[in-house]
Amino acid sequence: MTKIAILASYNGSGFNALYEASQKRELNIEIVLVISNNSDAVALQNASKYGIDNLAINSKTDENPDAKIEQLLHEYGCKYVFLSGYMKKVGENITKNFKVINSHPALLPNYGGAGMYGRFVHEAVMKNQEKVSGVTVHEVNENYDEGKIILQKKLILSEDESVDSLEAKIKKLEQSAIVEAFKNI
């Protein structure tokens, strides 16, 4: 069984999708560790509820958070790290020593890079009157949203689309895209 760690800053909805898929045996994975830079993250609460080891690691808890995270990933025998709404840039040692996967709420390379996350992406898509949006699941390298694309799922925007409706559709699409991407890898 492939061991996976989750890095999440808030809700970690992608974490929930992977956890559910592992419980249903859709994926042969074991989520062994959840780490957040936010001690109040819902992802940490969910990890506790699921019986998964979890920690808050940030500059207040550790002098070098990336080194601590890398150490734990090795200790837990993780092959993959999934970024489930993790709002910190992942250190180069982590991206070089582990397969780090992220989901992005747009069709990269459009609407990627620093500051392009969550609602900001959907607002930009709407402002530019795009007709299509979607989800990209990709490998993470040293640059924001530039890693190798694993999978993209598209959706056509309706004529009366709003930022809120687009965000809801993308979140739903993202759940299935993450699971499908992990099936592919």
Side-chain angles (χ1 to χ4, degrees):
M1 195 171 294
T2 303
K3 293 183 178 181
I4 295 179
I6 306 290
L7 300 183
S9 291
Y10 301 104
N11 295 329
S13 58
F15 157 45
N16 293 331
L18 287 174
Y19 178 77
E20 288 172 20
S22 72
Q23 295 304 294
K24 293 177 184 173
R25 309 245 188 271
E26 292 176 39
L27 293 173
N28 189 27
I29 63 169
E30 179 184 8
I31 300 170
V32 295
L33 181 63
V34 176
I35 297 172
S36 180
N37 59 305
N38 173 6
S39 60
D40 295 325
V42 172
L44 294 177
Q45 296 166 22
N46 286 339
S48 290
K49 182 172 68 176
Y50 302 149
I52 299 170
D53 288 352
N54 60 89
L55 297 151
I57 299 176
N58 55 47
S59 58
K60 292 178 186 171
T61 65
D62 288 271
E63 195 173 297
N64 186 342
D66 278 343
K68 179 67 174 178
I69 292 169
E70 182 184 5
Q71 173 195 342
L72 287 165
L73 295 174
H74 283 295
E75 283 177 20
Y76 278 79
C78 297
K79 180 175 180 180
Y80 292 96
V81 178
F82 179 67
L83 306 183
S84 188
Y86 191 62
M87 303 308 293
K88 296 284 185 183
K89 191 166 184 176
V90 178
E92 189 175 326
N93 279 348
I94 294 172
T95 60
K96 287 188 176 181
N97 291 307
F98 302 92
K99 182 82 85 169
V100 182
I101 308 296
N102 184 45
S103 66
H104 186 76
L107 298 172
L108 293 174
N110 297 331
Y111 305 106
M116 290 306 280
Y117 60 90
R119 193 169 181 87
F120 297 118
V121 172
H122 309 308
E123 288 171 350
V125 166
M126 295 301 296
K127 180 181 177 192
N128 290 327
Q129 300 177 353
E130 298 286 356
K131 303 292 184 218
V132 176
S133 189
V135 173
T136 303
V137 181
H138 64 96
E139 294 178 12
V140 175
N141 62 20
E142 65 279 359
N143 300 314
Y144 282 116
D145 300 325
E146 291 183 12
K148 178 184 167 195
I149 293 172
I150 298 166
L151 176 140
Q152 288 188 314
K153 290 218 173 249
K154 298 178 183 179
L155 64 81
I156 297 171
L157 280 66
S158 64
E159 289 190 22
D160 62 344
E161 201 75 65
S162 69
V163 172
D164 290 335
S165 65
L166 178 58
E167 184 174 37
K169 288 177 183 177
I170 293 290
K171 282 185 179 193
K172 185 175 182 182
L173 183 63
E174 194 170 32
Q175 304 299 300
S176 64
I178 292 164
V179 172
E180 186 177 332
F182 270 88
K183 284 179 181 176
N184 292 344
I185 59 173

